[in-house]
Amino acid sequence: MTTKSRTGADCVIEGLRQAGTEIIFGLPGGAVLDMFSKLYHAEDMEFVLARHEQGATHMADGYARATGKVGVCLVTSGPGATNAVTGLATAYMDGIPMVCISGQVPSHMIGNDAFQEADTTGITRAVTKHNYLVHSADDLPRIIAEAFHVASTGKPGPVLIDIPKDVQRAETTAPACTTVNLAGYRPVSGFIPDQVKDLAAAINAAERPLLYTGGGIIAGNAAVELTALARKANLPVTTTLMGLGGFPETDSLALRMLGMHGTVTANRAVGECDLLISVGARFDDRVTGKISEFAPKAKKAHIDIDPTSIDKSVPVDYPVVGHVKDVLAALIDQVEARERRAWNDHLDELQAQFPLAYDESTDEVLPQYVIEMVYKVSGGEALIVTDVGQHQMWATHFFKYTRPRTFLSSGGLGTMGYGLPAAIGAQAAFPEKNVVVLAGDGGIQMCFQELVVAVEHGWNVNVMILNNGHLGMVRQWQEMFYDKEYSATVLKQRGRPANEKIPDSSRREFLPDFVKMAEAYGAVGLRVTKKEDVVPTLEKAFSTKAPVVVEYIVKEEENVYPMVPPGASLDEMICSMA
Amino acid sequence: MKHFITLLVENQPGVLARIVGLISGRGYNIETLNVGPTDDPTLSRMTMTVPGDDHVLEQVTKQLYKLVDVIEVTDLTARREDAQERD
């Protein structure tokens, strides 16, 4: 059977369709016109026109995190591709499946400094799981199929396909690709039974075991198995930022997040446990603090699909390479149902003694209070998408996550500007869900323009801007470690250092006016300055059938506690400035 | 400690840049590098010498193996030491 001739651009659409693509986020340009011309007729695929390629990549990322499917974005050559780099790096650091297709100048122009030319595969090599520069339309069906396979298997990640304009236009009779065969890419399948057996025996023998779980639980769809294992053997669970939602935080075994801004109980448990079982987590420096003093009394186990994660920063006594879902299922059968009353009671006492808290008596609007009210008013059912900074940490403290894929956040790269576009991607997948963006006044301005996308598609995201007039987390570090030298962290119009020359004028204290900005984009804008208005405003926002932006003028110099200073060990937590 | 690493890789443009980028990106210097064809025209053989700390180079080797274009990675260092002892 011969395949009928069609263009490279046709093969791209064909490949996307074959991979089950329902929605594409992107922005056009000269080098991708041929693909957009084909897309014009592809009525089975929704196209979302972002206003900046960074926004498009974060939307694809948010869609991928919320659904578990591969997020797809399409950008042009040169600046289109360089704008996409931040979004690719964000997805790469957090292991999010994404396929990004970029246009490239015609093959014969490559290397000539042509208009809108950039060495896209060179630039993105370090921030993608794999990338391709396509030399012939004959290769396109295979490359598209490979890209989706690589992006979604093993430890997932973004894959970029750079397609020169002449390749998009060239005719080919290459058949559709139905099987992927990559000699150099064999993602882990199964596991070594003896490794699991040894770990099960270690768990059965442990008096003070602790599960430390990460994004692998979410990516590996293993929340059910994790919960069953923890409950069967009474294993307390602490979760990384990426792992939130993988274990119900309302469960009595949940110690909640560990690390730099983890709970006292979680960090103490790490210090006291005799067996630390890492499941799909990678001993990140924000989790471990001073690595040589991390879990000093514990034997360490590490279950991960990525063999390079094991023994990377911490020597491990019980390595298990495998898919977390399969390994946990096997462990459930092999661990004994046993009580660990002394250990569980001790941790319960710590939780009671060191709750996450803030000053509830003050009349000021505290950011922590706003987030706790988001939890209460939404009934804990909201899909939370954060930006990066103080509010992101408070979002881990004052909202309890009970299901996977309900907390989306840029963990590894810490990308400010991520929240709003990622929420739009999540809302695109689930138009009926209550998607709530928690952001600061700094980060929200980095991708604010994407609000128009939510408005025009009728995706009713709720954007909560906690405006403290500062780049809050950096300001907190300056307060704690740099003698309150607030260099370049004051966003409001007063109180800046002398060299940031802003004449004290009659301008309003906070610029921009977020309420007017929301209205300018066609969204509803609300402002809260009093504590008693927080709950009624949330009720109004959640019942409004339009995108809503709420600006909360919150207490300025509020800090995130507990905090482990950078480079310190987890038992050196600071719990207040007192 | 000097490491002798040999790789079997896809014979494609960009593969060398990917491998060198992974090693140099972690601050390691490649002292010698040889690339040549194999019996299979779609594959190339690379051999290199990289001085550096054992633990980190073990990581580098694992990371190299993760590259989609890399089919086989062997650190010959241990074997070479054995051979020298026998001499």
Side-chain angles (χ1 to χ4, degrees):
Chain A
M1 194 187 91
T2 54
T3 308
K4 88 176 192 328
S5 182
R6 70 273 195 240
T7 67
D10 283 316
C11 293
V12 172
I13 303 294
E14 193 180 283
L16 293 177
R17 187 174 285 135
Q18 190 183 309
T21 307
E22 293 161 347
I23 189 164
I24 302 167
F25 305 90
L27 214 68
V32 281
L33 279 171
D34 288 278
M35 285 186 279
F36 273 91
S37 147
K38 302 299 179 186
L39 205 53
Y40 189 80
H41 302 285
E43 286 170 13
D44 54 331
M45 277 183 265
E46 184 170 6
F47 184 78
V48 179
L49 175 61
R51 297 306 198 266
H52 186 292
E53 288 84 357
Q54 184 186 350
T57 50
H58 290 331
M59 287 177 202
D61 173 310
Y63 174 85
R65 290 188 208 228
T67 61
K69 298 177 190 168
V70 177
V72 178
C73 52
L74 175 57
V75 300
T76 193
S77 64
T82 57
N83 280 346
V85 168
T86 301
L88 291 169
T90 304
Y92 183 63
M93 287 286 271
D94 289 344
I96 304 305
M98 196 193 283
V99 168
C100 180
I101 296 171
S102 56
Q104 182 55 278
V105 301
S107 303
H108 71 275
M109 306 274 283
I110 291 179
N112 278 1
D113 291 343
F115 178 66
Q116 293 196 330
E117 182 190 355
D119 174 8
T120 302
T121 46
I123 291 169
T124 59
R125 195 171 290 133
V127 296
T128 53
K129 187 172 170 186
H130 193 48
N131 65 17
Y132 296 88
L133 173 60
V134 185
H135 298 284
S136 160
D138 297 342
D139 298 332
L140 267 170
R142 172 183 60 80
I143 287 174
I144 305 267
E146 285 178 5
F148 275 88
H149 176 68
V150 171
S152 59
T153 53
K155 179 176 180 178
V159 177
L160 177 129
I161 309 170
D162 198 30
I163 313 177
K165 185 158 178 150
D166 57 310
V167 175
Q168 296 170 41
R169 297 177 72 88
E171 293 277 328
T172 176
T173 54
C177 176
T178 48
T179 50
V180 171
N181 184 17
L182 283 162
Y185 181 73
R186 298 260 181 265
V188 169
S189 60
F191 52 83
I192 301 169
D194 278 352
Q195 289 188 333
V196 175
K197 201 173 132 199
D198 290 350
L199 175 54
I203 293 173
N204 291 335
E207 291 305 319
R208 297 183 308 283
L210 175 65
L211 284 164
Y212 142 53
T213 66
I217 298 292
I218 314 287
N221 296 316
V224 171
E225 289 77 7
L226 172 65
T227 307
L229 175 70
R231 287 183 180 155
K232 181 175 180 187
N234 279 301
L235 308 173
V237 182
T238 178
T239 314
T240 69
L241 184 79
M242 296 308 303
L244 287 173
F247 185 77
E249 295 197 286
T250 46
D251 194 290
S252 63
L253 290 166
L255 311 183
R256 312 199 53 198
M257 195 170 80
L258 79 165
M260 182 173 275
H261 292 295
T263 65
V264 172
T265 311
N267 286 344
R268 285 270 187 95
V270 169
E272 294 174 14
C273 66
D274 62 358
L275 176 67
L276 182 83
I277 310 142
S278 166
V279 193
R282 60 184 175 90
F283 296 87
D284 171 76
D285 59 278
R286 284 293 183 269
V287 161
T288 61
K290 190 175 184 181
I291 197 92
S292 56
E293 288 168 32
F294 182 68
K297 297 175 188 161
K299 293 266 188 190
K300 293 172 191 80
H302 191 172
I303 305 168
D304 210 295
I305 197 162
D306 176 5
T308 61
S309 269
I310 293 174
D311 269 347
K312 185 167 73 179
S313 24
V314 169
V316 169
D317 305 284
Y318 302 99
V320 183
V321 178
H323 194 293
V324 286
K325 194 179 178 75
D326 302 337
V327 173
L328 291 177
L331 277 175
I332 294 168
D333 291 338
Q334 296 179 36
V335 297
E336 290 160 10
R338 62 166 277 197
E339 297 217 333
R340 291 184 164 86
R341 189 57 63 80
W343 177 229
N344 294 138
D345 285 352
H346 169 63
L347 295 174
D348 287 346
E349 279 161 27
L350 281 177
Q351 299 226 57
Q353 198 184 340
F354 299 102
L356 289 159
Y358 58 91
D359 180 6
E360 292 179 41
S361 63
T362 179
D363 289 334
E364 285 180 283
V365 182
L366 291 190
Q368 301 97 313
Y369 173 76
V370 174
I371 292 169
E372 188 158 36
M373 290 308 113
V374 168
Y375 179 62
K376 293 214 164 124
V377 174
S378 69
E381 289 297 309
L383 195 164
I384 299 292
V385 189
T386 76
D387 223 87
V388 169
Q390 289 183 311
H391 69 274
Q392 181 189 27
M393 295 298 105
W394 285 318
T396 71
H397 292 170
F398 299 105
F399 196 105
K400 288 183 178 172
Y401 304 91
T402 54
R403 280 172 320 208
R405 307 191 184 283
T406 56
F407 174 78
L408 317 185
S409 194
S410 167
L413 196 67
T415 309
M416 286 171 71
Y418 172 82
L420 175 58
I424 291 169
Q427 191 87 74
F430 301 108
E432 302 308 320
K433 278 198 182 164
N434 181 11
V435 177
V436 178
V437 181
L438 298 173
D441 48 318
I444 195 69
Q445 294 187 62
M446 292 190 179
C447 282
F448 198 87
Q449 76 284 349
E450 305 304 340
L451 183 63
V452 71
V453 177
V455 172
E456 61 198 10
H457 286 265
W459 291 328
N460 301 332
V461 291
N462 288 299
V463 184
M464 307 291 139
I465 304 174
L466 300 163
N467 187 350
N468 57 11
H470 290 78
L471 296 166
M473 186 59 95
V474 184
R475 186 208 58 73
Q476 177 173 340
W477 283 49
Q478 289 172 334
E479 178 181 342
M480 296 174 77
F481 313 119
Y482 292 86
D483 296 329
K484 295 197 179 189
E485 293 166 342
Y486 294 157
S487 184
T489 48
V490 185
L491 288 172
K492 57 178 188 156
Q493 301 298 306
R494 298 197 242 303
R496 298 203 190 180
N499 72 337
E500 294 174 32
K501 291 181 182 135
I502 295 197
D504 217 354
S505 73
S506 55
R507 274 195 301 272
R508 69 197 298 274
E509 188 168 18
F510 297 103
L511 285 176
D513 181 331
F514 286 113
V515 172
K516 282 189 183 159
M517 241 171 127
E519 288 167 353
Y521 280 100
V524 175
L526 303 168
R527 180 174 295 116
V528 173
T529 56
K530 295 195 198 82
K531 193 176 181 181
E532 63 265 29
D533 293 338
V534 170
V535 169
T537 307
L538 279 170
E539 285 166 346
K540 185 177 173 192
F542 291 170
S543 59
T544 301
K545 295 288 171 215
V548 180
V549 175
V550 188
E551 178 189 28
Y552 301 84
I553 306 295
V554 299
K555 187 182 172 197
E556 289 180 10
E557 297 189 40
E558 187 66 7
N559 289 340
V560 182
Y561 295 117
M563 178 173 188
V564 176
S569 77
L570 291 191
D571 57 12
E572 295 174 64
M573 270 170 289
I574 301 171
C575 291
S576 74
M577 277 303 270
Chain B
M1 174 89 202
K2 253 182 212 170
H3 284 254
F4 304 89
I5 300 167
T6 172
L7 304 130
L8 192 63
V9 303
E10 299 278 355
N11 178 16
Q12 272 172 14
V15 175
L16 179 62
R18 220 181 274 283
I19 288 161
V20 170
L22 195 151
I23 294 169
S24 63
R26 283 161 180 73
Y28 287 86
N29 199 16
I30 299 172
E31 222 170 59
T32 68
L33 172 68
N34 179 282
V35 188
T38 65
D39 291 343
D40 181 342
T42 67
L43 302 178
S44 305
R45 169 72 64 188
M46 275 183 205
T47 310
M48 58 180 115
T49 324
V50 187
D53 163 75
D54 281 359
H55 175 71
V56 181
L57 272 157
E58 191 191 320
Q59 263 300 314
V60 169
T61 315
K62 282 184 181 177
Q63 301 274 357
L64 283 171
Y65 190 70
K66 238 168 54 164
L67 294 177
V68 172
D69 293 324
V70 173
I71 291 152
E72 195 184 281
V73 188
T74 319
D75 190 335
L76 297 172
T77 316
R79 262 185 246 175
R80 206 180 149 105
E81 278 169 4
D82 287 350
Q84 279 167 346
E85 272 169 30
R86 262 181 266 129
D87 293 345

